[in-house]
Amino acid sequence: MFHPLTARIDAILRDTFSALGLPTAHACAVACGRPELADFQCNGAMPTAKMLGRQPRDIAAALTAHLSTRPEFFAVSSAGPGFINMRIAPSLLAEAAAELLHDEHLGVADQGHGQLAVIDFGGPNVAKPLHVGHLRSLVIGESLRRMLKAQGWRVIADAHLGDWGLQMGMLTSALRRRQPELPWFAPVFQAAGQVAAPVTLDELERLYPAAAEACRVDPERMAEARADTAALQAGDPGLRDLWRALRTLSLQAQQRDFSALGVTFDLLLGESDVQPAIAPMIEDLCRRGIAVESDAALIIDVARPGDGKALPPLLLAKQDGASLYATTDLATLLQRTAQLGAKRVLYVVDQRQLLHFEQVFRAAAKAGWSADVELRHIGFGTVNGVDGKPYKTRQGGVARLADLLDAAVEKAAERIDDSGYGADLAPAAKADLARQVGMAAVKFADLSGDRLSGYVFDLDRLVSFEGRTGPYLQYACVRIRSVLRKAAESGEVVGAAVPEVRAECELLLACLAFPEAVAEAVRLYQPGVLAEYAFGLAQRFSRFYAECPVLGAAIVTQRASRLAMCHLTGMVLARSLELLGIDVPERM
């Protein structure tokens, strides 16, 4: 069983504080912000001194003297007003590294204990192609799905399709005008089993924007679209059958994009799937006085005393009785908590939806549906072009996601050819390498940094094999595997990782920080924490590899130890990339 290094040091500090008759409230360590000075630092002497009315330097000196006798530390010193700096002994690093290497979870603790977490991400609309605006939701959501599963949560990923709104009425009414003879529009619809959609995917994707524009400028067209929407939602058999055909056609294309990004959904439910639950939900909310009439509409007052600014009520139903986006989300949330038993429900949706989710979450709390459930909106910023503005095509339109991903793969193929990587690969393998590198470039750029900040989508920079990029991390993994493969071919043995020089100690310290990086990334719902960790680990390995010959080491035991360090680093780095949703090629 793996025992985190920080937990071990904290236990030693508590013992030391107790041995000196000091309270242990502040007996804890943090990684030192200046690794050239120490590995860990304890700042507990100062608050402890304040509690006792003593001098912090005196307490720090006593603690330092006591800690210096412990075999777990190579060196302990005090500095400034009472900081305690600690260098970890190589023997403790070797022991912890061996534990980490043999832990099947690489030290990631079970936080979920089999409880259910539902992640709502992607959110595509039926009849529209996925575009650049879907990228961040898909990439961040998939990474969080993987990390929560690693922590022992039972995870359900749901795309929550937009398949029940006005856009469906716009489509069907446009088709009715174009081809009124279609069987779905007959006065008495005769179902004929599974019937293909009356348009191709390309036609569908052209039809919707044209229909939407016509409805925008022509009140008559909008009235037709609203009439078809109402008929569809009321159960018109012809429109229902046509809706299913269009939904299936659209989903086929969207699932290809999901697959290209390596995104997995457990459910592909849409707004339509929750419609039967809406009327009973509204009836219950009205009966309990939670939903009330206001200007002939139904609302839920979600304002609370102490709000810094007025929070508008949640609009549950319009004057005509039509349900809304908020209605659907509230009913879906009720199903996820009451029927599925979710303990966490996460919505990976654009930050501009912050107010909407605050209203929905407060309405759910007011209804008593989320007392022991964590509800969280995981917002994010925009994907920007090199001009700093939201990413557009050269023609000024919204970029299709498939086109964006194709461009990344093409750029990766160019960079691979220019660099000479994969020169000995067959064409199919080389194409697969370009796909892996292109996707790594896109994903790492998307996940790096604070998700609330936007980022610049610059393919020339993103597919570089140098710097803070996905391909750089892939190459680090491949290089480690190459070293281990050559070692095996020459009969070298992987031994125990026993550090002797500073670069080796720093590499093991970086590996041992992996479980905490995952825990922090999940705590903050920030995959960027793990992305930054992975980049730092790759840099540490690069310094180690430059300063510490592995296969070229003169002593057999030293070669075995350094191979163990390569092995552990390769496992941790590959697992980090896996949790970020990034594939690692076998060769480059």
Side-chain angles (χ1 to χ4, degrees):
M1 179 179 177
F2 176 71
H3 299 86
L5 195 56
T6 303
R8 295 171 188 248
I9 298 168
D10 287 350
I12 294 169
L13 287 171
R14 287 193 296 271
D15 290 345
T16 303
F17 273 65
S18 294
L20 295 174
L22 301 172
T24 61
H26 301 286
C28 56
V30 294
C32 186
R34 298 181 61 188
E36 71 275 10
L37 297 179
D39 299 327
F40 288 89
Q41 185 175 297
C42 175
N43 303 327
M46 290 171 284
T48 300
K50 187 174 182 180
M51 291 169 59
L52 302 177
R54 294 171 55 183
Q55 289 296 318
R57 288 183 178 176
D58 294 341
I59 291 179
L63 289 168
T64 298
H66 199 286
L67 290 168
S68 295
T69 66
R70 299 286 304 232
E72 296 89 351
F73 298 112
F74 175 74
V76 183
S77 62
S78 58
F83 302 116
I84 300 171
N85 295 323
M86 297 164 281
R87 284 276 190 219
I88 307 302
S91 58
L92 178 56
L93 290 176
E95 179 185 331
E99 281 188 8
L100 184 65
L101 185 62
H102 292 97
D103 187 286
E104 62 176 321
H105 303 294
L106 278 177
V108 177
D110 185 350
Q111 303 285 347
H113 306 293
Q115 297 180 97
L116 177 63
V118 175
I119 309 182
D120 181 319
F121 65 102
N125 287 312
V126 167
K128 300 179 187 178
L130 295 179
H131 55 76
V132 65
H134 293 103
L135 175 64
R136 302 213 66 190
S137 179
L138 291 166
V139 172
I140 294 170
E142 175 64 19
S143 180
L144 291 175
R145 183 189 72 82
R146 294 179 182 215
M147 284 192 273
L148 284 166
K149 286 192 72 173
Q151 283 196 332
W153 286 87
R154 183 167 54 93
V155 180
I156 291 178
D158 184 4
H160 193 62
L161 308 169
D163 66 347
W164 200 241
L166 183 60
Q167 81 266 24
M168 300 312 303
M170 291 178 176
L171 277 171
T172 58
S173 60
L175 280 170
R176 188 193 303 272
R177 276 183 167 245
R178 192 175 80 171
Q179 295 173 269
E181 73 282 0
L182 290 172
W184 293 282
F185 305 129
V188 179
F189 173 67
Q190 298 293 329
Q194 189 74 20
V195 179
V199 290
T200 66
L201 182 63
D202 286 343
E203 288 172 333
L204 178 65
E205 293 180 353
R206 289 195 298 270
L207 181 64
Y208 175 74
E213 177 62 17
C215 289
R216 187 183 69 82
V217 300
D218 185 348
E220 183 180 345
R221 292 291 298 272
M222 179 60 81
E224 291 174 7
R226 292 190 186 281
D228 262 21
T229 302
L232 170 67
Q233 296 181 355
D236 180 283
L239 291 178
R240 283 286 178 97
D241 199 73
L242 176 56
W243 163 77
R244 277 189 288 270
L246 294 174
R247 185 181 189 272
T248 299
L249 177 65
S250 183
L251 265 179
Q252 289 171 350
Q254 292 175 352
Q255 286 178 297
R256 286 196 293 271
D257 288 343
F258 298 156
S259 178
L261 270 175
V263 171
T264 299
F265 286 107
D266 303 287
L267 298 174
L268 288 170
L269 298 178
E271 295 168 324
S272 60
D273 293 286
V274 79
Q275 294 307 306
I278 288 178
M281 177 191 74
I282 291 177
E283 182 182 350
D284 171 67
L285 292 172
C286 290
R287 179 179 54 79
R288 292 193 285 146
I290 294 168
V292 297
E293 282 196 21
S294 176
D295 295 329
L298 277 178
I299 66 166
I300 299 177
D301 184 5
V302 294
R304 293 174 180 170
D307 283 343
K309 58 182 180 180
L311 195 69
L314 180 140
L315 182 58
L316 198 63
K318 292 182 178 179
Q319 294 180 2
D320 59 6
S323 57
L324 302 160
Y325 181 38
T327 324
T328 300
D329 271 355
L330 196 58
T332 303
L333 178 53
L334 175 59
Q335 287 190 338
R336 288 167 174 170
T337 55
Q339 294 180 16
L340 297 179
K343 293 300 179 183
R344 282 188 184 181
V345 186
L346 311 178
Y347 294 83
V348 187
V349 183
D350 191 314
Q351 183 65 8
R352 289 172 291 188
Q353 296 296 316
L354 178 64
L355 173 61
H356 165 76
F357 284 108
E358 181 66 18
Q359 291 172 311
V360 171
F361 296 165
R362 287 194 181 193
K366 193 169 185 176
W369 299 337
S370 60
D372 60 345
V373 181
E374 179 186 347
L375 305 177
R376 188 70 67 90
H377 170 220
I378 314 298
F380 50 82
T382 56
V383 180
N384 299 319
V386 292
D387 59 358
K389 299 177 181 178
Y391 190 89
K392 300 283 186 182
T393 65
R394 290 179 179 176
Q395 293 73 35
V398 176
R400 287 170 41 130
L401 181 58
D403 294 339
L404 192 80
L405 300 181
D406 287 346
V409 173
E410 288 176 15
K411 182 62 69 173
E414 290 176 13
R415 189 59 57 89
I416 289 169
D417 286 340
D418 291 343
S419 65
Y421 292 125
D424 58 340
L425 295 176
K430 201 168 184 180
D432 192 48
L433 175 60
R435 179 192 60 79
Q436 290 178 309
V437 170
M439 292 303 100
V442 170
K443 291 183 179 183
F444 190 79
D446 202 289
L447 295 172
S448 297
D450 186 342
R451 58 176 161 76
L452 291 174
S453 301
Y455 71 96
V456 173
F457 191 86
D458 179 0
L459 279 178
D460 285 324
R461 180 180 62 82
L462 300 186
V463 300
S464 172
F465 288 94
E466 299 176 352
R468 197 180 300 270
T469 69
Y472 169 79
L473 295 180
Q474 287 177 313
Y475 181 70
C477 271
V478 170
R479 182 166 63 170
I480 292 170
R481 291 176 180 177
S482 176
V483 170
L484 294 172
R485 188 165 51 248
K486 289 177 182 177
E489 290 169 355
S490 60
E492 295 289 348
V493 176
V494 176
V498 181
E500 297 176 341
V501 298
R502 188 65 203 152
E504 295 174 322
C505 292
E506 289 180 350
L507 181 61
L508 291 186
L509 281 165
C511 289
L512 292 166
F514 170 69
E516 292 170 320
V518 175
E520 185 70 356
V522 174
R523 186 183 72 82
L524 299 173
Y525 298 118
Q526 285 274 18
V529 171
L530 185 59
E532 183 64 25
Y533 165 81
F535 177 67
L537 177 60
Q539 286 187 308
R540 288 280 180 93
F541 178 78
S542 183
R543 286 197 292 270
F544 156 81
Y545 194 69
E547 296 176 21
C548 305
V550 179
L551 298 179
I555 305 172
V556 172
T557 54
Q558 196 174 61
R559 290 199 298 273
S561 172
R562 289 176 179 173
L563 282 171
M565 294 175 194
C566 291
H567 180 45
L568 178 59
T569 304
M571 289 180 64
V572 172
L573 188 54
R575 181 59 171 153
S576 297
L577 293 182
E578 181 185 0
L579 294 179
L580 294 171
I582 294 174
D583 294 335
V584 178
E586 281 301 315
R587 296 173 184 268
M588 289 177 77

